[in-house]
Amino acid sequence: MISKEILQQLLKARMDGKQVVFTSLIETRGSTPQKAGAVMLVFEDGSQVGTLGGGCVEAEVKHKALLTLGTGRSEQFSFQLDHDYGWDDGLICGGRMTMLVDPCIEAHQTFYQTLLECLQAGQGCTEAVALQANNAGELSRVLFDQTGQVVAVLDTTVVEKTVSENLRALKTRPRPYVVEGVSYLPSLPRCRLLIIGAGHVGRALAKYASDVDFDVTVIDDRETYCNRTNIPHAKDWIVGPFDDVLPALSIDHNTFCVVVTRGHNHDEEALFHLVNRSPRYLGMIGSKRKIRLIMDDLKQNGISDENLKKVQAPIGLNIGSQTVPEIAISIVAELIACRNLN
């Protein structure tokens, strides 16, 4: 999928005077090795960053990408995954893949810079790509920000109003979709993950959650644990008593909270401050006995059964986890499922 890192490499190559081709999978039908939104850069020396699914389709796209360096013209190509594209790789899926191949000429750099800025803001955006070129061979691409406003356009041959009318709100976390000959490729808003507890599990959680595009904030009352050196994959570190820090935090529908402190009392303290705040996800680690005791205490302190039922505890998918990395992976898998499926 498109990422800040890929766009940064594209723009750096252009700043260094190097030629680079942006290729993107903009539509799929049936069974395919990659889904719409996958991106690959092809550089003039034949090297690449990213993938469109591998195999002979990717090799063919790379070949066509290098040819476009001589023309400077964006093109689209469709591939049917049959005996011609798949036999050697075992990818005879019967699906179809449509690729956008864009040699990044100077006139296109502003579009990619704007796309990068949208991703850096973390609020999400949507690119709309016409699946057919006009008579002059131009390909229309329109970039919308998180509010649905047009922020960049390339080769506009499609009426923007018509494209806007079919735009789906990012808050619904839509998958790529096609309407009336236009492919919509959403880059979804990043979700914030609050990890309460900077111990071994919190540290592993930060690593794996960051790898799957959560913005991670770690909270602990121990500065020796809650810092950049100990947990380098976090975006932010907050040190202080939980009673002081947690009530002051901003929590919304894109906030996920995981309670993994060093003791039962701190777990209960953290849960007390979070359970009425309606985060998108709230989970707590621990044994069934510990969880039952904490829930009983919270009831006695006025927390409703309705809110307590929203707490995921025990936390994580049941994969028989034993080691710290396994526990962290099971928790992150549950976070991904909540983010992508709910």
Side-chain angles (χ1 to χ4, degrees), residues 154-185:
L154 280 181
D155 302 323
T156 178
T157 59
V158 173
V159 179
E160 293 173 18
K161 181 180 178 182
T162 302
V163 178
S164 299
E165 289 173 349
N166 293 319
L167 190 67
R168 297 176 185 172
L170 289 175
K171 65 181 180 181
T172 66
R173 303 192 72 83
R175 299 287 185 172
Y177 57 99
V178 175
V179 181
E180 296 181 4
V182 176
S183 177
Y184 293 83
L185 305 171

PDB file of all heavy atoms in Angstrom, residues 154-185:
ATOM      1  N   LEU A 154      -4.579  15.955 -11.415  1.00  0.00           N
ATOM      2  CA  LEU A 154      -3.712  15.689 -12.563  1.00  0.00           C
ATOM      3  C   LEU A 154      -4.577  15.374 -13.778  1.00  0.00           C
ATOM      4  O   LEU A 154      -5.457  14.514 -13.702  1.00  0.00           O
ATOM      5  CB  LEU A 154      -2.799  14.487 -12.296  1.00  0.00           C
ATOM      6  CG  LEU A 154      -1.550  14.722 -11.440  1.00  0.00           C
ATOM      7  CD1 LEU A 154      -0.771  13.423 -11.320  1.00  0.00           C
ATOM      8  CD2 LEU A 154      -0.678  15.808 -12.037  1.00  0.00           C
ATOM      9  N   ASP A 155      -4.336  16.088 -14.859  1.00  0.00           N
ATOM     10  CA  ASP A 155      -5.005  15.787 -16.138  1.00  0.00           C
ATOM     11  C   ASP A 155      -6.505  15.615 -15.964  1.00  0.00           C
ATOM     12  O   ASP A 155      -7.085  14.562 -16.223  1.00  0.00           O
ATOM     13  CB  ASP A 155      -4.423  14.506 -16.755  1.00  0.00           C
ATOM     14  CG  ASP A 155      -2.926  14.616 -16.981  1.00  0.00           C
ATOM     15  OD1 ASP A 155      -2.473  15.717 -17.351  1.00  0.00           O
ATOM     16  OD2 ASP A 155      -2.220  13.623 -16.797  1.00  0.00           O
ATOM     17  N   THR A 156      -7.177  16.675 -15.513  1.00  0.00           N
ATOM     18  CA  THR A 156      -8.586  16.553 -15.159  1.00  0.00           C
ATOM     19  C   THR A 156      -9.464  16.445 -16.395  1.00  0.00           C
ATOM     20  O   THR A 156      -9.721  17.415 -17.083  1.00  0.00           O
ATOM     21  CB  THR A 156      -9.055  17.716 -14.267  1.00  0.00           C
ATOM     22  OG1 THR A 156     -10.439  17.552 -14.013  1.00  0.00           O
ATOM     23  CG2 THR A 156      -8.801  19.079 -14.871  1.00  0.00           C
ATOM     24  N   THR A 157      -9.888  15.223 -16.683  1.00  0.00           N
ATOM     25  CA  THR A 157     -10.810  15.003 -17.792  1.00  0.00           C
ATOM     26  C   THR A 157     -12.154  14.503 -17.277  1.00  0.00           C
ATOM     27  O   THR A 157     -13.068  14.268 -18.051  1.00  0.00           O
ATOM     28  CB  THR A 157     -10.234  13.967 -18.783  1.00  0.00           C
ATOM     29  OG1 THR A 157     -10.011  12.751 -18.072  1.00  0.00           O
ATOM     30  CG2 THR A 157      -8.926  14.450 -19.371  1.00  0.00           C
ATOM     31  N   VAL A 158     -12.251  14.320 -15.972  1.00  0.00           N
ATOM     32  CA  VAL A 158     -13.499  13.898 -15.347  1.00  0.00           C
ATOM     33  C   VAL A 158     -14.054  15.083 -14.571  1.00  0.00           C
ATOM     34  O   VAL A 158     -13.320  15.804 -13.910  1.00  0.00           O
ATOM     35  CB  VAL A 158     -13.257  12.707 -14.392  1.00  0.00           C
ATOM     36  CG1 VAL A 158     -14.527  12.379 -13.609  1.00  0.00           C
ATOM     37  CG2 VAL A 158     -12.804  11.492 -15.181  1.00  0.00           C
ATOM     38  N   VAL A 159     -15.353  15.313 -14.658  1.00  0.00           N
ATOM     39  CA  VAL A 159     -15.963  16.409 -13.914  1.00  0.00           C
ATOM     40  C   VAL A 159     -15.810  16.131 -12.416  1.00  0.00           C
ATOM     41  O   VAL A 159     -16.291  15.118 -11.914  1.00  0.00           O
ATOM     42  CB  VAL A 159     -17.456  16.557 -14.286  1.00  0.00           C
ATOM     43  CG1 VAL A 159     -18.090  17.686 -13.480  1.00  0.00           C
ATOM     44  CG2 VAL A 159     -17.602  16.824 -15.778  1.00  0.00           C
ATOM     45  N   GLU A 160     -15.139  17.041 -11.710  1.00  0.00           N
ATOM     46  CA  GLU A 160     -14.839  16.807 -10.303  1.00  0.00           C
ATOM     47  C   GLU A 160     -16.099  16.647  -9.465  1.00  0.00           C
ATOM     48  O   GLU A 160     -16.133  15.881  -8.512  1.00  0.00           O
ATOM     49  CB  GLU A 160     -13.979  17.949  -9.759  1.00  0.00           C
ATOM     50  CG  GLU A 160     -12.587  17.982 -10.364  1.00  0.00           C
ATOM     51  CD  GLU A 160     -11.821  19.221  -9.948  1.00  0.00           C
ATOM     52  OE1 GLU A 160     -12.215  19.859  -8.961  1.00  0.00           O
ATOM     53  OE2 GLU A 160     -10.832  19.549 -10.607  1.00  0.00           O
ATOM     54  N   LYS A 161     -17.162  17.367  -9.805  1.00  0.00           N
ATOM     55  CA  LYS A 161     -18.395  17.271  -9.034  1.00  0.00           C
ATOM     56  C   LYS A 161     -18.945  15.857  -9.072  1.00  0.00           C
ATOM     57  O   LYS A 161     -19.383  15.306  -8.056  1.00  0.00           O
ATOM     58  CB  LYS A 161     -19.436  18.258  -9.567  1.00  0.00           C
ATOM     59  CG  LYS A 161     -20.743  18.220  -8.789  1.00  0.00           C
ATOM     60  CD  LYS A 161     -21.747  19.213  -9.347  1.00  0.00           C
ATOM     61  CE  LYS A 161     -23.067  19.138  -8.581  1.00  0.00           C
ATOM     62  NZ  LYS A 161     -24.083  20.062  -9.133  1.00  0.00           N
ATOM     63  N   THR A 162     -18.917  15.242 -10.271  1.00  0.00           N
ATOM     64  CA  THR A 162     -19.401  13.875 -10.407  1.00  0.00           C
ATOM     65  C   THR A 162     -18.568  12.915  -9.568  1.00  0.00           C
ATOM     66  O   THR A 162     -19.101  12.025  -8.896  1.00  0.00           O
ATOM     67  CB  THR A 162     -19.358  13.435 -11.881  1.00  0.00           C
ATOM     68  OG1 THR A 162     -20.152  14.332 -12.653  1.00  0.00           O
ATOM     69  CG2 THR A 162     -19.886  12.020 -12.037  1.00  0.00           C
ATOM     70  N   VAL A 163     -17.255  13.103  -9.585  1.00  0.00           N
ATOM     71  CA  VAL A 163     -16.362  12.252  -8.796  1.00  0.00           C
ATOM     72  C   VAL A 163     -16.638  12.458  -7.310  1.00  0.00           C
ATOM     73  O   VAL A 163     -16.687  11.512  -6.525  1.00  0.00           O
ATOM     74  CB  VAL A 163     -14.889  12.553  -9.136  1.00  0.00           C
ATOM     75  CG1 VAL A 163     -13.965  11.704  -8.274  1.00  0.00           C
ATOM     76  CG2 VAL A 163     -14.624  12.292 -10.607  1.00  0.00           C
ATOM     77  N   SER A 164     -16.838  13.699  -6.910  1.00  0.00           N
ATOM     78  CA  SER A 164     -17.086  14.015  -5.499  1.00  0.00           C
ATOM     79  C   SER A 164     -18.367  13.371  -4.992  1.00  0.00           C
ATOM     80  O   SER A 164     -18.446  12.933  -3.833  1.00  0.00           O
ATOM     81  CB  SER A 164     -17.167  15.526  -5.296  1.00  0.00           C
ATOM     82  OG  SER A 164     -15.962  16.153  -5.663  1.00  0.00           O
ATOM     83  N   GLU A 165     -19.385  13.302  -5.824  1.00  0.00           N
ATOM     84  CA  GLU A 165     -20.672  12.753  -5.397  1.00  0.00           C
ATOM     85  C   GLU A 165     -20.572  11.284  -5.011  1.00  0.00           C
ATOM     86  O   GLU A 165     -21.369  10.794  -4.202  1.00  0.00           O
ATOM     87  CB  GLU A 165     -21.706  12.942  -6.515  1.00  0.00           C
ATOM     88  CG  GLU A 165     -22.128  14.399  -6.709  1.00  0.00           C
ATOM     89  CD  GLU A 165     -23.019  14.588  -7.919  1.00  0.00           C
ATOM     90  OE1 GLU A 165     -23.130  13.624  -8.721  1.00  0.00           O
ATOM     91  OE2 GLU A 165     -23.573  15.684  -8.084  1.00  0.00           O
ATOM     92  N   ASN A 166     -19.613  10.580  -5.563  1.00  0.00           N
ATOM     93  CA  ASN A 166     -19.460   9.153  -5.271  1.00  0.00           C
ATOM     94  C   ASN A 166     -18.392   8.885  -4.202  1.00  0.00           C
ATOM     95  O   ASN A 166     -18.074   7.724  -3.924  1.00  0.00           O
ATOM     96  CB  ASN A 166     -19.097   8.395  -6.545  1.00  0.00           C
ATOM     97  CG  ASN A 166     -20.242   8.396  -7.547  1.00  0.00           C
ATOM     98  OD1 ASN A 166     -21.401   8.239  -7.167  1.00  0.00           O
ATOM     99  ND2 ASN A 166     -19.933   8.583  -8.822  1.00  0.00           N
ATOM    100  N   LEU A 167     -17.855   9.939  -3.611  1.00  0.00           N
ATOM    101  CA  LEU A 167     -16.823   9.794  -2.601  1.00  0.00           C
ATOM    102  C   LEU A 167     -17.419   9.285  -1.291  1.00  0.00           C
ATOM    103  O   LEU A 167     -18.438   9.797  -0.817  1.00  0.00           O
ATOM    104  CB  LEU A 167     -16.144  11.156  -2.374  1.00  0.00           C
ATOM    105  CG  LEU A 167     -14.879  11.177  -1.526  1.00  0.00           C
ATOM    106  CD1 LEU A 167     -13.748  10.437  -2.240  1.00  0.00           C
ATOM    107  CD2 LEU A 167     -14.476  12.623  -1.242  1.00  0.00           C
ATOM    108  N   ARG A 168     -16.798   8.293  -0.693  1.00  0.00           N
ATOM    109  CA  ARG A 168     -17.254   7.731   0.578  1.00  0.00           C
ATOM    110  C   ARG A 168     -16.446   8.324   1.728  1.00  0.00           C
ATOM    111  O   ARG A 168     -15.227   8.508   1.618  1.00  0.00           O
ATOM    112  CB  ARG A 168     -17.123   6.209   0.564  1.00  0.00           C
ATOM    113  CG  ARG A 168     -17.999   5.544  -0.491  1.00  0.00           C
ATOM    114  CD  ARG A 168     -17.799   4.041  -0.560  1.00  0.00           C
ATOM    115  NE  ARG A 168     -18.565   3.462  -1.651  1.00  0.00           N
ATOM    116  CZ  ARG A 168     -18.481   2.195  -2.055  1.00  0.00           C
ATOM    117  NH1 ARG A 168     -17.645   1.369  -1.419  1.00  0.00           N
ATOM    118  NH2 ARG A 168     -19.203   1.758  -3.062  1.00  0.00           N
ATOM    119  N   ALA A 169     -17.134   8.620   2.818  1.00  0.00           N
ATOM    120  CA  ALA A 169     -16.489   9.261   3.966  1.00  0.00           C
ATOM    121  C   ALA A 169     -15.418   8.353   4.564  1.00  0.00           C
ATOM    122  O   ALA A 169     -15.631   7.147   4.748  1.00  0.00           O
ATOM    123  CB  ALA A 169     -17.534   9.604   5.017  1.00  0.00           C
ATOM    124  N   LEU A 170     -14.274   8.931   4.870  1.00  0.00           N
ATOM    125  CA  LEU A 170     -13.178   8.146   5.424  1.00  0.00           C
ATOM    126  C   LEU A 170     -13.500   7.583   6.804  1.00  0.00           C
ATOM    127  O   LEU A 170     -12.934   6.564   7.218  1.00  0.00           O
ATOM    128  CB  LEU A 170     -11.908   8.999   5.494  1.00  0.00           C
ATOM    129  CG  LEU A 170     -11.250   9.319   4.148  1.00  0.00           C
ATOM    130  CD1 LEU A 170     -10.076  10.256   4.356  1.00  0.00           C
ATOM    131  CD2 LEU A 170     -10.797   8.056   3.445  1.00  0.00           C
ATOM    132  N   LYS A 171     -14.416   8.221   7.516  1.00  0.00           N
ATOM    133  CA  LYS A 171     -14.754   7.725   8.855  1.00  0.00           C
ATOM    134  C   LYS A 171     -15.417   6.344   8.808  1.00  0.00           C
ATOM    135  O   LYS A 171     -15.434   5.627   9.805  1.00  0.00           O
ATOM    136  CB  LYS A 171     -15.655   8.714   9.584  1.00  0.00           C
ATOM    137  CG  LYS A 171     -17.025   8.904   8.959  1.00  0.00           C
ATOM    138  CD  LYS A 171     -17.844   9.925   9.738  1.00  0.00           C
ATOM    139  CE  LYS A 171     -19.227  10.121   9.124  1.00  0.00           C
ATOM    140  NZ  LYS A 171     -20.014  11.132   9.871  1.00  0.00           N
ATOM    141  N   THR A 172     -15.916   5.955   7.634  1.00  0.00           N
ATOM    142  CA  THR A 172     -16.481   4.612   7.476  1.00  0.00           C
ATOM    143  C   THR A 172     -15.407   3.586   7.132  1.00  0.00           C
ATOM    144  O   THR A 172     -15.708   2.408   6.969  1.00  0.00           O
ATOM    145  CB  THR A 172     -17.556   4.602   6.371  1.00  0.00           C
ATOM    146  OG1 THR A 172     -16.940   4.881   5.090  1.00  0.00           O
ATOM    147  CG2 THR A 172     -18.631   5.642   6.637  1.00  0.00           C
ATOM    148  N   ARG A 173     -14.149   4.062   6.983  1.00  0.00           N
ATOM    149  CA  ARG A 173     -12.994   3.226   6.652  1.00  0.00           C
ATOM    150  C   ARG A 173     -13.263   2.341   5.438  1.00  0.00           C
ATOM    151  O   ARG A 173     -13.191   1.100   5.492  1.00  0.00           O
ATOM    152  CB  ARG A 173     -12.556   2.388   7.858  1.00  0.00           C
ATOM    153  CG  ARG A 173     -12.218   3.237   9.083  1.00  0.00           C
ATOM    154  CD  ARG A 173     -11.519   2.457  10.146  1.00  0.00           C
ATOM    155  NE  ARG A 173     -10.149   2.136   9.760  1.00  0.00           N
ATOM    156  CZ  ARG A 173      -9.105   2.971   9.900  1.00  0.00           C
ATOM    157  NH1 ARG A 173      -9.281   4.186  10.391  1.00  0.00           N
ATOM    158  NH2 ARG A 173      -7.896   2.599   9.549  1.00  0.00           N
ATOM    159  N   PRO A 174     -13.577   2.979   4.291  1.00  0.00           N
ATOM    160  CA  PRO A 174     -13.890   2.200   3.088  1.00  0.00           C
ATOM    161  C   PRO A 174     -12.663   1.516   2.499  1.00  0.00           C
ATOM    162  O   PRO A 174     -11.525   2.001   2.622  1.00  0.00           O
ATOM    163  CB  PRO A 174     -14.421   3.270   2.122  1.00  0.00           C
ATOM    164  CG  PRO A 174     -13.715   4.525   2.537  1.00  0.00           C
ATOM    165  CD  PRO A 174     -13.609   4.430   4.028  1.00  0.00           C
ATOM    166  N   ARG A 175     -12.873   0.382   1.860  1.00  0.00           N
ATOM    167  CA  ARG A 175     -11.851  -0.278   1.057  1.00  0.00           C
ATOM    168  C   ARG A 175     -11.842   0.369  -0.327  1.00  0.00           C
ATOM    169  O   ARG A 175     -12.779   1.088  -0.689  1.00  0.00           O
ATOM    170  CB  ARG A 175     -12.164  -1.769   0.940  1.00  0.00           C
ATOM    171  CG  ARG A 175     -12.185  -2.504   2.273  1.00  0.00           C
ATOM    172  CD  ARG A 175     -10.803  -2.693   2.822  1.00  0.00           C
ATOM    173  NE  ARG A 175     -10.790  -3.490   4.041  1.00  0.00           N
ATOM    174  CZ  ARG A 175      -9.691  -3.926   4.635  1.00  0.00           C
ATOM    175  NH1 ARG A 175      -8.521  -3.637   4.104  1.00  0.00           N
ATOM    176  NH2 ARG A 175      -9.751  -4.641   5.750  1.00  0.00           N
ATOM    177  N   PRO A 176     -10.801   0.129  -1.136  1.00  0.00           N
ATOM    178  CA  PRO A 176     -10.843   0.644  -2.519  1.00  0.00           C
ATOM    179  C   PRO A 176     -12.100   0.171  -3.237  1.00  0.00           C
ATOM    180  O   PRO A 176     -12.543  -0.967  -3.061  1.00  0.00           O
ATOM    181  CB  PRO A 176      -9.575   0.047  -3.146  1.00  0.00           C
ATOM    182  CG  PRO A 176      -8.633  -0.113  -1.987  1.00  0.00           C
ATOM    183  CD  PRO A 176      -9.505  -0.517  -0.830  1.00  0.00           C
ATOM    184  N   TYR A 177     -12.681   1.050  -4.062  1.00  0.00           N
ATOM    185  CA  TYR A 177     -13.926   0.724  -4.742  1.00  0.00           C
ATOM    186  C   TYR A 177     -13.970   1.446  -6.083  1.00  0.00           C
ATOM    187  O   TYR A 177     -13.217   2.399  -6.333  1.00  0.00           O
ATOM    188  CB  TYR A 177     -15.140   1.104  -3.893  1.00  0.00           C
ATOM    189  CG  TYR A 177     -15.196   2.572  -3.493  1.00  0.00           C
ATOM    190  CD1 TYR A 177     -15.994   3.488  -4.180  1.00  0.00           C
ATOM    191  CD2 TYR A 177     -14.456   3.045  -2.415  1.00  0.00           C
ATOM    192  CE1 TYR A 177     -16.050   4.824  -3.805  1.00  0.00           C
ATOM    193  CE2 TYR A 177     -14.500   4.372  -2.032  1.00  0.00           C
ATOM    194  CZ  TYR A 177     -15.294   5.258  -2.731  1.00  0.00           C
ATOM    195  OH  TYR A 177     -15.337   6.588  -2.364  1.00  0.00           O
ATOM    196  N   VAL A 178     -14.854   0.980  -6.967  1.00  0.00           N
ATOM    197  CA  VAL A 178     -15.014   1.555  -8.304  1.00  0.00           C
ATOM    198  C   VAL A 178     -16.468   1.954  -8.487  1.00  0.00           C
ATOM    199  O   VAL A 178     -17.379   1.160  -8.223  1.00  0.00           O
ATOM    200  CB  VAL A 178     -14.592   0.563  -9.403  1.00  0.00           C
ATOM    201  CG1 VAL A 178     -14.874   1.143 -10.786  1.00  0.00           C
ATOM    202  CG2 VAL A 178     -13.107   0.204  -9.263  1.00  0.00           C
ATOM    203  N   VAL A 179     -16.696   3.186  -8.938  1.00  0.00           N
ATOM    204  CA  VAL A 179     -18.035   3.677  -9.242  1.00  0.00           C
ATOM    205  C   VAL A 179     -17.976   4.458 -10.541  1.00  0.00           C
ATOM    206  O   VAL A 179     -17.169   5.382 -10.688  1.00  0.00           O
ATOM    207  CB  VAL A 179     -18.587   4.587  -8.115  1.00  0.00           C
ATOM    208  CG1 VAL A 179     -20.004   5.051  -8.466  1.00  0.00           C
ATOM    209  CG2 VAL A 179     -18.584   3.874  -6.783  1.00  0.00           C
ATOM    210  N   GLU A 180     -18.821   4.080 -11.499  1.00  0.00           N
ATOM    211  CA  GLU A 180     -18.967   4.805 -12.760  1.00  0.00           C
ATOM    212  C   GLU A 180     -17.625   5.074 -13.443  1.00  0.00           C
ATOM    213  O   GLU A 180     -17.326   6.188 -13.874  1.00  0.00           O
ATOM    214  CB  GLU A 180     -19.710   6.127 -12.529  1.00  0.00           C
ATOM    215  CG  GLU A 180     -21.137   5.927 -12.036  1.00  0.00           C
ATOM    216  CD  GLU A 180     -21.878   7.244 -11.837  1.00  0.00           C
ATOM    217  OE1 GLU A 180     -21.304   8.303 -12.157  1.00  0.00           O
ATOM    218  OE2 GLU A 180     -23.020   7.204 -11.352  1.00  0.00           O
ATOM    219  N   GLY A 181     -16.810   4.024 -13.532  1.00  0.00           N
ATOM    220  CA  GLY A 181     -15.559   4.132 -14.271  1.00  0.00           C
ATOM    221  C   GLY A 181     -14.453   4.878 -13.563  1.00  0.00           C
ATOM    222  O   GLY A 181     -13.437   5.222 -14.173  1.00  0.00           O
ATOM    223  N   VAL A 182     -14.613   5.112 -12.274  1.00  0.00           N
ATOM    224  CA  VAL A 182     -13.584   5.787 -11.487  1.00  0.00           C
ATOM    225  C   VAL A 182     -13.198   4.894 -10.316  1.00  0.00           C
ATOM    226  O   VAL A 182     -14.059   4.385  -9.596  1.00  0.00           O
ATOM    227  CB  VAL A 182     -14.067   7.156 -10.964  1.00  0.00           C
ATOM    228  CG1 VAL A 182     -13.017   7.799 -10.062  1.00  0.00           C
ATOM    229  CG2 VAL A 182     -14.404   8.072 -12.132  1.00  0.00           C
ATOM    230  N   SER A 183     -11.892   4.683 -10.143  1.00  0.00           N
ATOM    231  CA  SER A 183     -11.384   3.899  -9.018  1.00  0.00           C
ATOM    232  C   SER A 183     -11.045   4.837  -7.867  1.00  0.00           C
ATOM    233  O   SER A 183     -10.324   5.825  -8.047  1.00  0.00           O
ATOM    234  CB  SER A 183     -10.133   3.119  -9.434  1.00  0.00           C
ATOM    235  OG  SER A 183      -9.600   2.412  -8.336  1.00  0.00           O
ATOM    236  N   TYR A 184     -11.572   4.530  -6.684  1.00  0.00           N
ATOM    237  CA  TYR A 184     -11.314   5.329  -5.491  1.00  0.00           C
ATOM    238  C   TYR A 184     -10.356   4.561  -4.584  1.00  0.00           C
ATOM    239  O   TYR A 184     -10.625   3.407  -4.215  1.00  0.00           O
ATOM    240  CB  TYR A 184     -12.617   5.619  -4.749  1.00  0.00           C
ATOM    241  CG  TYR A 184     -13.553   6.529  -5.519  1.00  0.00           C
ATOM    242  CD1 TYR A 184     -14.394   6.002  -6.501  1.00  0.00           C
ATOM    243  CD2 TYR A 184     -13.583   7.899  -5.279  1.00  0.00           C
ATOM    244  CE1 TYR A 184     -15.251   6.828  -7.222  1.00  0.00           C
ATOM    245  CE2 TYR A 184     -14.444   8.726  -5.985  1.00  0.00           C
ATOM    246  CZ  TYR A 184     -15.270   8.184  -6.957  1.00  0.00           C
ATOM    247  OH  TYR A 184     -16.117   9.003  -7.683  1.00  0.00           O
ATOM    248  N   LEU A 185      -9.237   5.194  -4.241  1.00  0.00           N
ATOM    249  CA  LEU A 185      -8.195   4.545  -3.458  1.00  0.00           C
ATOM    250  C   LEU A 185      -8.007   5.301  -2.148  1.00  0.00           C
ATOM    251  O   LEU A 185      -7.233   6.264  -2.072  1.00  0.00           O
ATOM    252  CB  LEU A 185      -6.883   4.526  -4.257  1.00  0.00           C
ATOM    253  CG  LEU A 185      -6.961   3.890  -5.648  1.00  0.00           C
ATOM    254  CD1 LEU A 185      -5.671   4.125  -6.414  1.00  0.00           C
ATOM    255  CD2 LEU A 185      -7.270   2.404  -5.537  1.00  0.00           C
TER     256      LEU A 185
END
